[in-house]
Amino acid sequence: MSDSSPTPPVKPVIAAGAAKRANASVIGMLLAMLSTVAIVLTIVWLNPQQKAENYRTHIDVAAVSAHASETAGFTPVAPVLPEGWSANYARWNPAGPDGVSFWDVGYVTASNTFIALRQSGTANPTWTASQAGNAPITGTRTVDGSDWELRDKPKGERSLVLATGETTIVLTGEADFKDFDVLAAGTTKLLEADHANPAPGSPDPNITPTQKDGK
């Protein structure tokens, strides 16, 4: 009978130099990963997540309005709004190719939505439609006794338009109606105050030309 005892398995032998190089590669990969993680963490630490409040600026709309009134020919509205509202810009835009110059203010609401207020004494139907995003007239919204023309689309921005006889005001944004009502109410309240107390030297809207002449 022949001896058929099993042959013991052969274990692979890695040369010392190869083992050293393999260990060095693994360590290098780990160091590279740690370096990448450290860089990412540093960037995150240096650039914390922005909050909506960080984007708010504090523009003195009334002061800009007073300055713009010298050019506008009327006092642009600067309504007093509740706490939590702010303006991130206020400016007077001179007339462009359409011949329309206008007062332009951007308001951030207390719920962090946006409504633009634009007022012009030289508005025309084309300009008004453009400021309302060419949305169709869909009805009327009454705010504190004033009837605003409502223009909106199924999706996107909506607008409220008020023609006072002297100026046209357009409110446009994607805010809720409750926020539009706040801005519309503040605007009409200011218009009523200006009408009741006209600036010195301006004609009294309650007196007709014949009354002025004593006829």
Side-chain angles (χ1 to χ4, degrees):
M1 297 178 63
S2 61
D3 187 3
S4 58
S5 58
T7 303
V10 178
K11 294 183 179 181
V13 178
I14 301 176
K20 185 176 181 180
R21 287 194 296 273
N23 291 334
S25 298
V26 172
I27 294 173
M29 290 176 60
L30 291 174
L31 290 175
M33 291 177 61
L34 290 173
S35 298
T36 301
V37 171
I39 292 172
V40 171
L41 291 176
T42 300
I43 293 173
V44 171
W45 179 71
L46 292 175
N47 297 275
Q49 183 178 5
Q50 297 289 337
K51 297 181 179 179
E53 188 66 26
N54 293 340
Y55 291 99
R56 290 179 178 268
T57 55
H58 299 284
I59 305 297
D60 188 342
V61 179
V64 182
S65 168
H67 180 72
S69 64
E70 301 174 5
T71 303
F74 61 90
T75 302
V77 293
V80 177
L81 299 171
E83 183 178 356
W85 284 66
S86 63
N88 55 13
Y89 68 83
R91 61 198 175 207
W92 176 256
N93 292 305
D98 59 2
V100 180
S101 54
F102 61 97
W103 171 239
D104 188 9
V105 187
Y107 285 103
V108 179
T109 73
S111 53
N112 286 321
T113 54
F114 178 82
I115 303 176
L117 182 157
R118 297 178 180 115
Q119 180 185 21
S120 176
T122 55
N124 56 51
T126 301
W127 177 85
T128 301
S130 175
Q131 298 306 314
N134 294 309
I137 300 172
T138 56
T140 301
R141 188 168 183 82
T142 302
V143 182
D144 282 4
S146 295
D147 293 330
W148 292 72
E149 181 181 83
L150 173 62
R151 301 187 182 210
D152 61 0
K153 301 177 182 178
K155 295 182 180 180
E157 297 181 335
R158 60 169 56 99
S159 298
L160 293 180
V161 180
L162 180 67
T164 68
E166 297 179 351
T167 66
T168 297
I169 299 173
V170 183
L171 310 180
T172 301
E174 294 186 356
D176 293 334
F177 274 121
K178 64 178 182 180
D179 288 328
F180 271 91
D181 290 349
V182 170
L183 184 54
T187 300
T188 53
K189 183 177 181 180
L190 189 62
L191 289 173
E192 291 170 358
D194 289 342
H195 186 271
N197 300 287
S202 62
D204 188 338
N206 297 314
I207 300 177
T208 63
T210 55
Q211 289 175 317
K212 288 182 180 180
D213 296 336
K215 298 180 181 179

